[in-house]
Amino acid sequence: MTAELLGPPIHAMLVLGTRPEAIKLAPVVRAMNASALFEPLVVTTGQHREMLHQMLDLFQACDRIELDVMRERQQLSALTARLIDGLGEVIREQQPDLVVVQGDTTTALAGALAAFYERVPVAHVEAGLRTGMPNNPFPEEINRRLIARVARWHFAPTARAAEHLQAEGVAESTIFTTGNTVIDNLLWVLSQGAGRNHFGTDLRHILLTLHRRENQGDTMCHMGSAIRRLADRGDVEIVVPLHKSPAVREALLPELTDHPNIQVVEPLDYMDFSATLAACDLVLTDSGGIQEEAPALGKPTLVLRTTTERPEAVEVGAAKLVGIEPDAIVDAAATLLDDHAAYKRMANAGNPFGDGHAGDRIVAQLAADFGPAPVKARVIPDPALTRRQHRTTPVGG
C-alpha cells in the first residue's frame, strides 16, 4: 500500500481469541505496522489460550490487551456474554476508529456485536463463507451470518464468498474480494526458514488434525479408529498435533496412543506446524484453515466433515470431502497412497485462495474508505480477480 497521511492515524482494534484468528490477522497487523496511517491494537480473549500464546510473537511490534474471560468447559451462552461485556469495556476505554474481526468464532461474533453496540464500524476478514446449514458447523455458520449483518467492510477471500454475501442482500459496495490472509502468512513463515518438521521416518507422511465441535464424541472416536487402521498399513507415519480440548483428547487418545506409526504431539507452534505441513504427503483434517493452506503447497487434502464452507478447493480438485465414516476415510486415503495418478491430480490441482497479498489489499481498502477524507491510498491489484472485486475509492486523489 502507498498512501499519504492527511489526518490523525486510524486507531484500529483487532480482536482475536484463537490461533487461526491470529494466523489470519497477522498479515493485516504487519501491513498496518508498516503504514504511518494506522495505530493497531490487538485485543486477545484467550479462547484458545495456550495455542494462542504460541502465536503472539507475530504481533511483537503491536500493542496488546489480554482479557481473562475463559472458563473450563464453559457454555457458549456464558462465554458469549462475558466476551461482549469485556470487549465492550475495552472499546469504551480505547475509543477505536474501527474494529477488525476474523472468521466465525465466538470471539469474532462478540467483537462485532460489542463494536456495533458502541457504534464503532466493523471490518470482517474472511467474510462470506457459508455451508447453508445453520447447525453445521455449529455455532460457526450462524456466527458468520450474524457478523455480516453488522459489518461495514466485508473482506471476502474468494469470488464465491462474495456472491454469498450479495445473495443475502449485503451491499455490493461494501464487499471486497481479496484472497485469504492465511496464504499470506503461510508463504511469509516458510520464507523465513523457521520451524521444525516433526516427521521422523522415510515412510509416507500423513498430517492429521481434528477438533470441530460437531465431530466430537462417538464420531471422533470412530475417526480415531480409522486413523489407526491407516497406520496398520505399515508404510505411513502419521503425525497428530492434538488439540487441547478435553473432549478431543478423550475421544482420540485411546485410539491413537501406543502405535509405532502414529506420533501424537502437543499442539505445534505455527512455525513448526507450517514446516510439518510442507513436509507431509497427505493431509486429513476437519480444519477450515488447513483446507486453504494445504493446496498452496500442493498437499492433497481429505476433509473429514459432511460439508465445507470452502468448496473452492474441492471444486478445483485439491481437496476431497470424504465425510466422517471410518470406511470412507480409510478408502479415500488408501486411494491416494496407492494410486500415483490420483495423487498427482490432486497435488497439481492448484490453489484458489489467493496470491499472498490479501493483507495489503485489506489495509489499503480500509485506508481508502475510512472516514470522510483521511488518506490517499492505492489498492494492490490481483490480475486473477475482477476489477469490480478490487474496487477502491481513493479520496482526494
Side-chain angles (χ1 to χ4, degrees):
M1 180 178 74
T2 60
E4 175 187 345
L5 185 64
L6 299 180
I10 301 166
H11 184 28
M13 177 181 293
L14 300 98
V15 176
L16 57 96
T18 67
R19 187 169 86 162
E21 288 171 297
I23 290 168
K24 293 184 178 185
L25 285 177
V28 179
V29 173
R30 284 197 295 270
M32 288 182 174
N33 280 334
S35 169
L37 303 176
F38 289 88
E39 289 183 346
L41 169 67
V42 171
V43 179
T44 66
T45 67
Q47 191 174 335
H48 292 172
R49 185 181 301 278
E50 292 184 48
M51 298 173 72
L52 179 62
H53 282 174
Q54 297 172 349
M55 292 298 303
L56 293 182
D57 284 347
L58 293 176
F59 302 100
Q60 56 189 342
C62 185
D63 290 336
R64 295 201 307 265
I65 294 175
E66 297 188 31
L67 300 184
D68 182 19
V69 298
M70 309 309 291
R71 304 291 184 269
E72 188 174 349
R73 294 183 182 271
Q74 59 201 339
Q75 298 297 314
L76 280 173
S77 55
L79 170 61
T80 303
R82 286 195 298 272
L83 285 171
I84 293 175
D85 184 52
L87 290 168
E89 182 176 349
V90 173
I91 291 170
R92 289 189 294 274
E93 290 174 351
Q94 297 296 320
Q95 294 292 301
D97 296 309
L98 75 155
V99 168
V100 182
V101 300
Q102 191 283 326
D104 50 25
T105 67
T106 304
T107 287
L109 173 62
L113 284 174
F116 174 74
Y117 293 153
E118 301 300 327
R119 299 184 180 274
V120 176
V122 174
H124 187 198
V125 176
E126 198 181 55
L129 276 62
R130 299 290 186 272
T131 65
M133 302 172 64
N135 291 313
N136 192 352
F138 176 87
E140 289 86 354
E141 177 74 6
I142 292 301
N143 287 350
R144 52 196 175 218
R145 293 192 203 184
L146 293 174
I147 295 170
R149 305 335 301 171
V150 301
R152 173 172 166 183
W153 296 274
H154 306 263
F155 293 114
T158 65
R160 179 185 292 270
E163 290 166 0
H164 289 157
L165 292 164
Q166 292 176 43
E168 294 173 1
V170 175
E172 184 178 335
S173 62
T174 67
I175 303 170
F176 307 89
T177 303
T178 60
N180 200 304
T181 55
V182 74
I183 305 303
D184 301 26
N185 218 41
L186 177 65
L187 298 179
W188 178 81
V189 165
L190 292 177
S191 74
Q192 306 301 303
R196 180 173 71 87
N197 160 25
H198 278 253
F199 290 102
T201 72
D202 293 329
L203 301 175
R204 304 288 296 278
H205 295 162
I206 297 177
L207 178 62
L208 169 73
T209 72
L210 287 171
H211 76 281
R212 299 197 79 89
R213 190 181 297 266
E214 68 267 22
N215 280 341
Q216 293 172 10
D218 289 344
T219 295
M220 194 167 288
C221 290
H222 296 152
M223 288 179 169
S225 70
I227 300 308
R228 194 173 186 92
R229 286 166 56 190
L230 278 178
D232 287 340
R233 289 171 51 105
D235 63 345
V236 297
E237 177 189 4
I238 304 174
V239 169
V240 187
L242 198 62
H243 198 279
K244 288 290 188 181
S245 165
V248 172
R249 295 188 169 221
E250 289 167 6
L252 290 180
L253 281 175
E255 298 291 343
L256 301 185
T257 52
D258 301 322
H259 194 294
N261 287 2
I262 299 176
Q263 185 183 168
V264 178
V265 299
E266 289 300 308
L268 302 178
D269 68 35
Y270 183 59
M271 304 296 187
D272 283 2
F273 185 86
S274 297
T276 303
L277 176 63
C280 80
D281 297 298
L282 176 62
V283 176
L284 278 65
T285 188
D286 64 2
S287 165
I290 297 173
Q291 292 177 55
E292 299 154 345
E293 293 172 307
L297 301 179
K299 308 300 179 181
T301 302
L302 300 181
V303 182
L304 309 187
R305 295 175 58 189
T306 58
T307 185
T308 179
E309 53 283 278
R310 294 166 175 86
E312 295 90 344
V314 175
E315 290 168 355
V316 302
K320 182 177 181 180
L321 191 66
V322 299
I324 59 177
E325 296 300 324
D327 288 346
I329 294 170
V330 173
D331 290 347
T335 295
L336 292 174
L337 293 168
D338 297 335
D339 185 335
H340 177 71
Y343 182 92
K344 188 174 181 180
R345 282 194 299 272
M346 288 190 74
N348 294 332
N351 170 36
F353 294 112
D355 61 357
H357 295 288
D360 292 329
R361 293 188 186 97
I362 289 167
V363 172
Q365 194 66 60
L366 290 173
D369 285 357
F370 188 83
V375 298
K376 299 176 182 178
R378 176 178 62 82
V379 168
I380 299 171
D382 179 351
L385 300 173
T386 68
R387 183 177 181 180
R388 175 185 61 81
Q389 292 163 344
H390 274 298
R391 178 197 68 260
T392 185
T393 310
V395 179

